[in-house]
Amino acid sequence: MQVASMHFKERAHAKLNDAQLQRNLGKMQGKFIAKRRASLTELDDFEGTREAGRAIRQRALDNLDTWLETFEASATRRGATVLYAQTPAEVNQLVLEIAARHGVNKIIKSKSMVSEESGLDHAIEAAGMAVVETDLGEYILQINDYEPPSHIIGPALHKSKEEVAELFHLRHGTERKDGIEELCREARQVLRQHYLAADMGITGGNFFVAETGSVVLVTNEGNATLATTLPKVHVAISGIEKVVPTLEDIATLMRLLPRSATGQSISNYCDLLTGVKGKGEFHGAEHMYFIVVDCGRTEVLASDVAEALRCIRCGACMNHCPVYQNVGGHSYGWVYPGPIGSVLTPMYVGLERAMDLPEASTLCNQCGVVCPVKIPLPDLLRKLREKSFDRALRPWHERAGHRIWTWFALRPRLYATASQAGVRLLHLLTRADGMVRSLPFGGGWTDGRDMPGPAGRTFRELYRARHAAPPKSQ
Ligand code: SF4
């Protein structure tokens, strides 16, 4: 997929001025949040389950090489083939080789974010084969000239029902339908033909289970079930970090994933696929391949933001992020949007190609609070900000501002005097309604919003007063 993360600011600006997108985002806002909150009340001990989820994912990362070897051995015993891809180009090459080996003409795909990283669909089409996305959101984007996804669990969330209706009418050549059920029925009829004609199914993998060599697929549409049982070949593609030690671990993670993602106690479909179809078995692929993908993950694992690899791709951090809610997923310019994307994208494509993403956060910690595997996203974003400062990637005036601030902060008396002067200036700028409308050198901030003027005493004054007060008598 093309990288456009270096243009975050321009893209976000354009999205904020896109009235249709703002209406679509507005309708979506809050739905996920309320459903997630309601579903968590069903758990006796959500924080305990969350800590268990964190521990499971961390245990896997701490000994990733061992669990990957165990996974490979278990999967191979059940007749599957495990392949490794270091780069996006290798992912595509391996898929094309498998397709050639089995004489494949047509491929159906269930959602796979890793294949978005490598632009797999384009590689398949360039090799002369047909490929059809079967996740409804991904299908909508594919028939809209491969529009990029804007959310990791709802790739077409930025589109309204009316936009989808018009797209189906144009692409399918059918009468325009406006009801959601009618649109889903039309998509089902179109996709069913593709399922029946496909020779190979490609899926992602929510988890790879080391002890059994299984892949876990979590969907709401059942498309992964069809994509893995109807064609003779199944290829599951996912990152090296998606391995977990045991089936018992999946039980814990499945308490967290659907609730954090869509607010469901359990998703409509959860496929656990182990090995190829055995003798006398009716369902399953005759040939099963796993492509286990690195594509920058080992560098992340060795870095100080390695905790980001615990991610189970639930999307809760973006659903709760005030920046994502306003600018939408396309502003981030690559596969993964929102707070987790602002950590992963700079690590995968290079900080210099995504240096505004770690800044695209208010550090309010909503993302950190809701993350089901306790990834400290604001801390990781702060570490990436430090890296861009150290590598002189930020504009000169930002770096100069930091240096001046550091100089003052290291001289407490001078810092106090400068702070007092700053507060006085803010008092002078505060209007009768208590708001500051414009800041010298801060127009970028106050052009779009008002700032409350200083109220009451400063922190230093309060601190001094508290320490000067005599202790209360017993
Ligand atoms: S970082 Fe946490 S909240 Fe965000 S998608 Fe990953 S698991 Fe979900």
Side-chain angles (χ1 to χ4, degrees):
M1 186 174 161
Q2 201 191 358
V3 182
S5 310
M6 58 289 243
H7 306 303
F8 175 81
K9 280 188 183 165
E10 299 93 296
R11 292 166 78 92
H13 205 259
K15 299 298 176 194
L16 286 168
N17 289 312
D18 181 336
Q20 178 65 54
L21 177 74
Q22 289 301 317
R23 274 196 296 278
N24 299 348
L25 289 172
K27 281 185 198 160
M28 186 200 90
Q29 259 179 33
K31 279 187 189 160
F32 280 126
I33 296 174
K35 285 186 176 168
R36 172 189 170 274
R37 196 183 299 129
S39 73
L40 296 187
T41 57
E42 301 164 356
L43 292 175
D44 291 340
D45 179 13
F46 171 61
E47 278 308 315
T49 313
R50 195 168 165 242
E51 174 51 31
R54 185 207 66 78
I56 287 167
R57 295 294 297 127
Q58 194 56 47
R59 180 172 167 235
L61 295 180
D62 287 345
N63 289 296
L64 195 54
D65 50 349
T66 306
W67 296 120
L68 283 170
E69 279 172 18
T70 311
F71 171 74
E72 182 180 344
S74 310
T76 307
R77 260 198 311 277
R78 299 300 301 260
T81 305
V82 180
L83 305 164
Y84 293 89
Q86 283 295 323
T87 62
E90 279 181 32
V91 175
N92 297 348
Q93 190 190 330
L94 287 171
V95 170
L96 296 183
E97 283 171 9
I98 295 166
R101 190 174 310 140
H102 295 284
V104 169
N105 292 310
K106 183 164 194 163
I107 296 174
I108 45 169
K109 271 183 81 209
S110 177
K111 193 152 79 66
S112 157
M113 298 306 281
V114 177
S115 74
E116 298 276 349
E117 290 180 38
S118 70
L120 178 60
D121 288 11
H122 297 293
I124 291 171
E125 287 183 341
M129 284 173 282
V131 57
V132 181
E133 295 284 348
T134 60
D135 172 90
L136 182 55
E138 290 284 354
Y139 174 71
I140 289 167
L141 300 182
Q142 184 184 23
I143 63 171
N144 197 27
D145 301 326
Y146 278 113
E147 193 183 353
S150 68
H151 191 285
I152 57 177
I153 61 160
L157 273 179
H158 58 282
K159 293 198 112 44
S160 68
K161 180 184 69 176
E162 291 72 24
E163 288 172 301
V164 175
E166 184 62 16
L167 188 63
F168 278 16
H169 165 60
L170 291 174
R171 294 291 193 269
H172 296 161
T174 49
E175 199 183 312
R176 189 184 151 119
K177 304 176 179 71
D178 284 319
I180 287 180
E181 276 187 28
E182 287 174 289
L183 291 168
C184 288
R185 199 173 302 123
E186 180 169 319
R188 193 180 299 130
Q189 279 163 0
V190 171
L191 288 173
R192 201 50 67 100
Q193 306 309 316
H194 294 300
Y195 284 117
L196 295 170
D199 320 284
M200 181 161 125
I202 296 179
T203 67
N206 291 84
F207 305 106
F208 290 156
V209 187
E211 74 168 344
T212 57
S214 316
V215 58
V216 179
L217 300 170
V218 182
T219 70
N220 269 322
E221 297 162 21
N223 57 314
T225 313
L226 289 172
T228 55
T229 48
L230 291 175
K232 62 184 178 192
V233 187
H234 172 206
V235 182
I237 308 174
S238 209
I240 52 171
E241 80 281 16
K242 290 298 181 67
V243 72
V244 293
T246 67
L247 265 186
E248 187 69 33
D249 294 336
I250 298 298
T252 303
L253 293 170
M254 284 303 294
R255 280 188 202 112
L256 293 166
L257 177 56
R259 286 186 171 88
S260 302
T262 50
Q264 292 166 285
S265 312
I266 184 76
S267 57
N268 291 344
Y269 297 85
C270 180
D271 294 86
L272 178 77
L273 302 166
T274 311
V276 294
K277 182 161 68 172
K279 263 197 182 148
E281 283 182 348
F282 182 65
H283 293 294
E286 291 162 30
H287 309 278
M288 187 175 195
Y289 294 87
F290 291 101
I291 301 182
V292 186
V293 178
D294 189 319
C295 292
R297 284 152 174 86
T298 43
E299 280 88 14
V300 179
L301 191 63
S303 76
D304 55 358
V305 298
E307 287 176 280
L309 293 179
R310 287 206 299 265
C311 179
I312 57 172
R313 304 282 190 268
C314 70
C317 57
M318 52 203 76
N319 297 339
H320 289 74
C321 174
V323 176
Y324 177 92
Q325 285 172 354
N326 283 285
V327 302
H330 286 160
S331 302
Y332 294 79
W334 200 55
V335 179
Y336 305 106
I340 186 64
S342 295
V343 176
L344 292 180
T345 305
M347 295 304 290
Y348 289 166
V349 307
L351 192 50
E352 63 290 343
R353 298 173 81 192
M355 65 178 183
D356 282 329
L357 295 191
E359 309 288 327
S361 166
T362 61
L363 301 182
C364 67
N365 197 30
Q366 272 296 299
C367 51
V369 168
V370 298
C371 177
V373 285
K374 295 174 106 170
I375 299 173
L377 288 156
D379 293 348
L380 305 189
L381 291 168
R382 215 176 282 119
K383 284 178 186 169
L384 289 176
R385 288 182 184 187
E386 281 169 25
K387 282 187 211 299
S388 23
F389 182 80
D390 291 346
R391 288 176 52 192
L393 293 174
R394 300 302 308 161
W396 71 266
H397 53 275
E398 266 186 49
R399 286 182 281 134
H402 279 294
R403 290 220 168 82
I404 293 169
W405 185 86
T406 308
W407 191 85
F408 273 101
L410 290 170
R411 292 162 179 81
R413 279 177 195 282
L414 203 54
Y415 188 86
T417 311
S419 303
Q420 274 168 0
V423 171
R424 281 207 192 100
L425 177 66
L426 281 178
H427 274 298
L428 287 176
L429 295 171
T430 304
R431 300 195 170 202
D433 61 0
M435 303 303 281
V436 177
R437 295 266 151 70
S438 127
L439 274 177
F441 307 113
W445 180 260
T446 47
D447 281 354
R449 57 186 81 72
D450 297 337
M451 183 179 115
R457 290 185 289 173
T458 64
F459 171 77
R460 280 171 179 274
E461 286 163 350
L462 289 169
Y463 187 82
R464 209 178 300 125
R466 174 174 289 194
H467 283 265
K472 283 186 185 150
S473 53
Q474 297 291 314

